[in-house]
Amino acid sequence: MYYYLPHLREYEDAIFPNVIFGQQRTGVSLVMGIPTVKREKQHYLINTLHSLLYELSEEQKNDCVIIIFVGEVRMGSHQASFHSFPKEIQSGVLEVISPPASYYPELSNLKKTFGDSEDRVRWRTKQNLDYSFLMLYAQPKGTFYLQLEDDIIAKPDYIQSIKNFAAKQSQEWMILEFSQLGFIGKLFKSGDLPLIVEFFLMFYKDKPIDWLIDHLLWVKVCNPEKDAIHCEKEKAKLRIRAKPSLFQHVGIYSSLAGKIQNLKDKDFGKNVLHKAHNNPPAKVDTSLRTYQQYTLEKVYKGKDCFWASAPVAGDYISFTFLSPLKVEKYFFRSGNMEHPGDKLFNTTVEVLPADEMLRKELADNGSKFNYPATKDGYLKIGAFENGIAEGSINQSIGKIQAIRLSVNSDSPVWAILSEV
């Protein structure tokens, strides 16, 4: 590293990151690396993290680590972004690092190549250095390293899909690709990363990262005395593509100022944004302002998700059964894969007993079922946690007339119900 970046000899600590958040987790199966920098117009990182963490089991969370590499010396604009993930940072599944200022060499006076502007050459050169630093930091932490970007969404159960695909490979491989775009969804064996990073550092000023990876494969397996078709066949043995894609690019505004990129992976397909259940007949009602065609009735019937503008304290969503019935369990999921942050926060689940005498008693004297009671006779039986509310209902309550979701504080984001 000191040979390719000689300025580092003057700064002994330049290859050690500033660890902003995290528990220095090691010994996992999968390490995910996400470089990020401030964008001029729109930030995608929080939604990307919500998507990656969405529906992960505790077992999966304990066997992976997501490293956010903030490629800026000043963390200011990013620091607040991670307050949405206190549990993930505390548990060690999420780490945030940044490089010391002394890591970067002088990036002015770079040779312009391939018709790129001076700004673009500087941007892609720094990007190569960012990937290299991140990969070397991630290398000792786990078995596999997955390269991602900060403006993507992931398919449900992507971790298991990756493990299954890697396990069934019978031949030696260097890269498993779970997206056809750029440097998104590329899986490496951690043991190969030092070689890969050394190659990047040899040519970091010359070409973009995805081109360098292709050149590395060429060096490893292509015979100069044979034609390009033979070369592509040999490279394809080391670089194996999985279909359908597990990651989709959603960003429009690049980290390169002024660059617009409407890149979409056609092999990703459509995400399932709601889940249907056979619910009993009910009248649905809400004080929330519904967005376009995403009505509450549609999610209850399993036809689409429910989407509404930001809830405020006192808002509600109610389901009144046409006939009172025994309810054993309930399950509500807020947010979905494309808008994982649009969750219900500080929202309680309440049930209305069908027995009017019981309701009057609850309203007058409070609860006798170890559930708090509301003034209008509902029992608070649960609450949303990390976007989900689920639980069993005490059968001694008897038949239920209605279930209500009550919002207790103003929310900064819109709300989606994707499963009822």
Side-chain angles (χ1 to χ4, degrees), residues 63-81:
D63 195 30
C64 74
V65 60
I66 301 170
I67 304 166
I68 308 299
F69 172 92
V70 181
E72 293 176 58
V73 180
R74 292 181 183 166
M75 270 287 293
S77 62
H78 292 273
Q79 200 98 18
S81 303

Side-chain angles (χ1 to χ4, degrees), residues 43-312:
H43 305 285
Y44 305 99
L45 178 61
I46 297 304
N47 269 353
T48 294
L49 289 176
H50 277 304
S51 178
L52 291 171
L53 293 162
Y54 186 75
E55 285 191 327
L56 284 193
S57 67
E58 283 308 307
E59 186 182 352
Q60 288 173 328
K61 283 182 181 176
N62 290 333
D63 195 30
C64 74
V65 60
I66 301 170
I67 304 166
I68 308 299
F69 172 92
V70 181
E72 293 176 58
V73 180
R74 292 181 183 166
M75 270 287 293
S77 62
H78 292 273
Q79 200 98 18
S81 303
F82 304 107
H83 294 165
S84 310
F85 305 97
K87 285 184 183 173
E88 288 78 10
I89 289 167
Q90 188 60 42
S91 70
V93 70
L94 187 60
E95 281 189 33
V96 184
I97 66 169
S98 72
S102 51
Y103 168 63
Y104 296 105
E106 179 58 53
L107 293 177
S108 57
N109 300 319
L110 293 168
K111 182 183 174 186
K112 288 200 273 185
T113 54
F114 306 108
D116 285 349
S117 67
E118 192 175 326
D119 281 347
R120 188 178 177 88
V121 171
R122 188 183 304 114
W123 170 76
R124 73 175 201 225
T125 299
K126 179 185 174 296
Q127 196 175 55
N128 289 344
L129 292 169
D130 289 349
Y131 283 122
S132 299
F133 192 104
L134 174 54
M135 284 177 158
L136 285 182
Y137 176 76
Q139 192 269 329
K141 287 178 168 287
T143 309
F144 297 111
Y145 174 77
L146 179 67
Q147 185 64 61
L148 297 170
E149 292 186 6
D150 66 353
D151 52 354
I152 55 140
I153 55 172
K155 277 265 170 72
D157 214 19
Y158 69 94
I159 285 185
Q160 194 56 50
S161 299
I162 288 171
K163 286 183 177 178
N164 292 347
F165 190 76
K168 75 178 187 182
Q169 300 308 314
S170 56
Q171 65 190 52
E172 197 57 32
W173 57 271
M174 192 166 190
I175 309 167
L176 299 183
E177 296 192 314
F178 297 94
S179 167
Q180 66 170 343
L181 298 177
F183 213 35
I184 298 170
K186 307 297 184 270
L187 187 78
F188 304 91
K189 296 171 199 157
S190 294
D192 288 340
L193 291 179
L195 168 79
I196 291 166
V197 170
E198 184 170 10
F199 193 84
F200 288 167
L201 292 176
M202 281 186 208
F203 304 103
Y204 76 93
K205 296 179 186 175
D206 301 308
K207 289 188 176 181
I209 200 94
D210 44 342
W211 291 13
L212 292 180
I213 273 287
D214 192 64
H215 288 317
L216 174 56
L217 297 178
W218 193 99
V219 169
K220 282 186 79 71
V221 296
C222 289
N223 183 339
E225 296 177 358
K226 299 203 173 178
D227 61 16
I229 295 171
H230 179 267
C231 178
E232 289 303 315
K233 281 181 182 174
E234 291 302 305
K235 286 192 293 182
K237 292 175 185 175
L238 289 186
R239 181 179 197 151
I240 301 164
R241 176 97 161 81
K243 289 186 181 181
S245 297
L246 298 179
F247 305 98
Q248 177 63 288
H249 180 259
V250 294
I252 296 171
Y253 299 101
S254 169
S255 54
L256 173 61
K259 183 186 175 193
I260 303 289
Q261 47 185 21
N262 278 311
L263 298 173
K264 286 287 178 267
D265 188 333
K266 66 180 188 306
D267 292 329
F268 182 75
K270 283 193 172 181
N271 256 330
V272 178
L273 301 179
H274 67 281
K275 189 171 181 180
H277 291 279
N278 187 18
N279 290 314
K283 178 178 178 287
V284 301
D285 185 33
T286 182
S287 60
L288 294 170
R289 200 169 82 223
T290 302
Y291 176 63
Q292 293 184 358
Q293 77 273 19
Y294 303 102
T295 63
L296 184 57
E297 188 171 14
K298 282 185 178 174
V299 74
Y300 191 73
K301 291 183 175 178
K303 294 179 178 176
D304 208 335
C305 58
F306 167 63
W307 203 0
S309 48
V312 297

